[in-house]
Amino acid sequence: MHFWTIGVFLACFALVTWIGLRASRWQSGDLRELHEWGLGGRRFGRWITWFLIGGDLYTAYTFIAVPALVFGAGALGFFALPYTVLVYPLVFAILPRLWAVAHRHGFVTAADFVAGRYDSPLLAFAVAATGFIATMPYIALQLVGIQVVIAALGLSTGPGWLGEIPLLVAFAVLAVFTYLSGLRAPAMIAVVKDVLVYITIFALIVVLPMKLGGFAAIFAKVPVDHLLLPAAHGGQLGLQSFYVTLALGSAMALMFYPHATTAVLSARGTEVLRWNWVFLPAYSLVLGLVALLGFMAQAADLPKLPDLAPYFQSFGPQFAMPGLLLHFFPQWFAGLGLAAVAIGALVPASIMSIAAANLFTRNLYKAYLRPQCSPHEETQMAKWMSLVVKFGALLFILFLPLQFAIQLQLMGGILILQTLPAIAGGLYTRWFDPRALLVGWLVGMGWGIWALSLTGFQKSVYTLHLGNWSIPAYVGIYALLLNLGLAVLVTLGLRLAGRAHRRDATKMPDYLG
């Protein structure tokens, strides 16, 4: 236990707690209204939106998992770079249209849009349920990030639930400021989080090469099979096709996560979003530097260091970045860096719980259980549900093996991709029939989960055999192609049979913001 490290960490944590509690007084607005509590009144400008979306998409688990994947699997971990490059042209084409139609009709969630576009409560429920389920392990993984930080600080008090007291305290803080301040809290805290992250990453990328003898010495110590993907041979495409499809599938999935759409719908206007798509790729530069930390941890041979070996035995490659902070930097800076990771977990966890609560309240509670509920009752239910979601994620961490929790995260992108035809397709055309989309969603979800189960939920790769060729690819891409194919075929069949469903609550001008 290093007291300077803990002192700096606690000071940063206290600062963001105070900001989160004070956020309820920021900007005018009645927090008893769902669009005020859950979307910040749709008034966030360019810079707040930039920090909010960046803090939402580049999470604490990103800064732990990307170095961990590079440390453990080598070059495959760099899929995160093309993935975050590809995502911006896609969101530029899709999300401003979603903001425009949502603003015009008062939609709070993507499922609200689906309900209005297709006049299909069942399809909207399927989209909402998918988003809700896929968000749960994502929130849990933010708590995993906090768990790793707490272990690095030496604050874990032993085995059993007593050892999780610091995690329970962090959970309580997150629950309180989310309940009181809604989306305003993570929006304000995201500014502090990003400043700390940028300081930490640039310090790591400058100091560590000097201490390790330069980049040439670092790469010389990395095993050759970690520097490049295995070459294709004998009809086996190897990891190249998996790398490409994983990057593409992850990019397409990212924009449809509930927390991503929540952050987008909180913006003041489409011009704010277009400005952000131009400058948000700055985060991709940082992500490339973060990925290199995995090679630096390998070059330093951290798992063999006596003071770090116990941590690697407990957390494996996930301790690569915290290990570098603890070993190579003074205590006070290690506290600053670990605070950046912990705060980087609080921001997205808060947004994710709000997004999941919005989905439950709008597309289940109000749609099916209490259609006549007042706006204040609707918001109160969302607040309570945000606590329930975080509590479920906490139980997930406390009672399931850590490795199992991480494996379940592989399902997130596969599940979310199955909502792409309904949401992205609906933003540009009303050609698809909602019944066809529902059939495609059901089959895509079922096949994706089945294919993932074949690997014991340990890998997200599925190998398709075509003659002499074996094509390994991301499960989500295969499931999405099956989903889309069925949606097209069933829609054609319904149209030819004269049973097309054409009702639509929106008009084309609604999509032009």
Side-chain angles (χ1 to χ4, degrees):
M1 183 178 291
H2 304 291
F3 293 101
W4 272 109
T5 304
I6 295 172
V8 172
F9 175 87
L10 292 178
C12 294
F13 204 83
L15 172 63
V16 300
T17 301
W18 177 80
I19 292 173
L21 295 175
R22 293 283 297 178
S24 62
R25 304 181 183 181
W26 176 44
Q27 296 186 340
S28 59
D30 186 355
L31 290 177
R32 294 175 299 173
E33 301 283 343
L34 188 60
H35 75 281
E36 289 285 350
W37 180 83
L39 293 180
R42 308 179 197 258
R43 288 191 295 272
F44 294 155
R46 290 180 175 182
W47 284 106
I48 292 297
T49 301
W50 189 79
F51 283 113
L52 182 65
I53 296 177
D56 186 17
L57 303 184
Y58 296 85
T59 68
Y61 192 70
T62 299
F63 297 112
I64 288 180
V66 172
L69 187 57
V70 172
F71 180 88
L76 180 64
F78 283 90
F79 89 92
L81 292 181
Y83 145 41
T84 56
V85 171
L86 286 170
V87 74
Y88 293 111
L90 295 174
V91 297
F92 197 98
I94 291 174
L95 293 183
R97 293 177 70 88
L98 178 62
W99 185 96
V101 69
H103 182 72
R104 182 70 60 89
H105 290 272
F107 298 148
V108 174
T109 68
D112 282 350
F113 162 70
V114 170
R117 180 63 152 161
Y118 297 101
D119 188 32
S120 175
L122 190 57
L123 181 60
F125 176 80
V127 170
T130 304
F132 188 90
I133 293 169
T135 300
M136 288 293 288
Y138 227 139
I139 299 173
L141 289 173
Q142 304 314 309
L143 298 182
V144 170
I146 297 178
Q147 208 173 29
V148 173
V149 168
I150 289 170
L153 291 168
L155 291 177
S156 181
T157 55
W161 71 271
L162 288 175
E164 305 294 350
I165 288 177
L167 179 62
L168 295 174
V169 172
F171 162 80
V173 170
L174 171 64
V176 169
F177 69 62
T178 301
Y179 182 90
L180 294 177
S181 304
L183 196 64
R184 286 171 170 81
M188 292 186 70
I189 295 172
V191 179
V192 178
K193 172 254 183 187
D194 283 3
V195 170
L196 291 178
V197 164
Y198 273 96
I199 291 172
T200 302
I201 297 305
F202 283 113
L204 284 165
I205 209 68
V206 170
V207 172
L208 291 178
M210 292 191 295
K211 290 183 176 290
L212 294 171
F215 282 102
I218 291 170
F219 286 112
K221 294 179 181 178
V222 176
V224 176
D225 61 346
H226 274 215
L227 292 175
L228 297 171
L229 293 173
H233 63 280
Q236 299 285 338
L237 291 185
L239 290 179
Q240 283 89 348
S241 60
F242 177 55
Y243 181 95
V244 171
T245 56
L246 184 58
L248 180 60
S250 299
M252 291 191 295
L254 183 65
M255 71 186 85
F256 298 110
Y257 272 107
H259 54 280
T261 54
T262 295
V264 165
L265 294 181
S266 69
R268 187 174 57 211
T270 54
E271 78 286 349
V272 170
L273 296 176
R274 293 188 177 98
W275 183 90
N276 269 270
W277 305 144
V278 172
F279 292 102
L280 272 170
Y283 283 95
S284 297
L285 170 64
V286 174
L287 191 58
L289 303 179
V290 169
L292 288 174
L293 298 179
F295 283 155
M296 295 181 190
Q298 272 193 331
D301 209 2
L302 294 185
K304 293 184 179 179
L305 299 178
D307 56 332
L308 297 181
Y311 297 111
F312 278 91
Q313 290 174 4
S314 298
F315 295 100
Q318 291 182 100
F319 207 76
M321 179 193 175
L324 291 169
L325 282 170
L326 291 177
H327 186 71
F328 288 103
F329 288 86
Q331 291 185 23
W332 68 269
F333 189 84
L336 194 73
L338 293 173
V341 175
I343 296 167
L346 290 179
V347 170
S350 179
I351 303 171
M352 290 170 191
S353 65
I354 291 169
N358 289 344
L359 282 171
F360 176 87
T361 304
R362 268 299 177 96
N363 306 112
L364 176 60
Y365 181 75
K366 186 174 182 179
Y368 291 96
L369 302 178
R370 289 274 293 171
Q372 305 303 320
C373 70
S374 68
H376 291 177
E377 181 184 348
E378 181 185 29
T379 305
Q380 188 59 47
M381 175 53 66
K383 290 182 177 182
W384 284 115
M385 184 50 57
S386 74
L387 299 180
V388 171
V389 168
K390 284 190 282 288
F391 184 71
L394 183 65
L395 292 178
F396 189 89
I397 291 301
L398 294 179
F399 295 106
L400 289 179
L402 179 62
Q403 188 177 5
F404 186 63
I406 294 168
Q407 291 164 4
L408 277 184
Q409 194 271 341
L410 299 176
M411 294 176 60
I414 297 169
L415 301 183
I416 286 295
L417 275 174
Q418 307 320 308
T419 67
L420 185 150
I423 301 173
L427 288 171
Y428 277 93
T429 179
R430 185 55 183 81
W431 184 82
F432 286 104
D433 189 282
R435 292 161 293 183
L437 290 169
L438 198 57
V439 170
W441 170 84
L442 185 62
V443 174
M445 290 278 284
W447 187 90
I449 295 172
W450 170 80
L452 193 59
S453 71
L454 295 180
T455 68
F457 297 99
Q458 295 179 11
K459 296 179 180 179
S460 57
V461 58
Y462 181 86
T463 302
L464 185 67
H465 298 282
L466 297 174
N468 294 325
W469 283 91
S470 296
I471 308 174
Y474 180 47
V475 168
I477 290 292
Y478 287 135
L480 176 61
L481 291 175
L482 184 60
N483 181 343
L484 273 171
L486 281 171
V488 170
L489 290 176
V490 176
T491 297
L492 284 173
L494 290 170
R495 285 176 173 268
L496 290 174
R499 300 182 62 185
H501 181 293
R502 301 178 184 275
R503 290 190 294 273
D504 184 358
T506 69
K507 296 180 175 61
M508 191 51 64
D510 298 344
Y511 298 84
L512 306 176

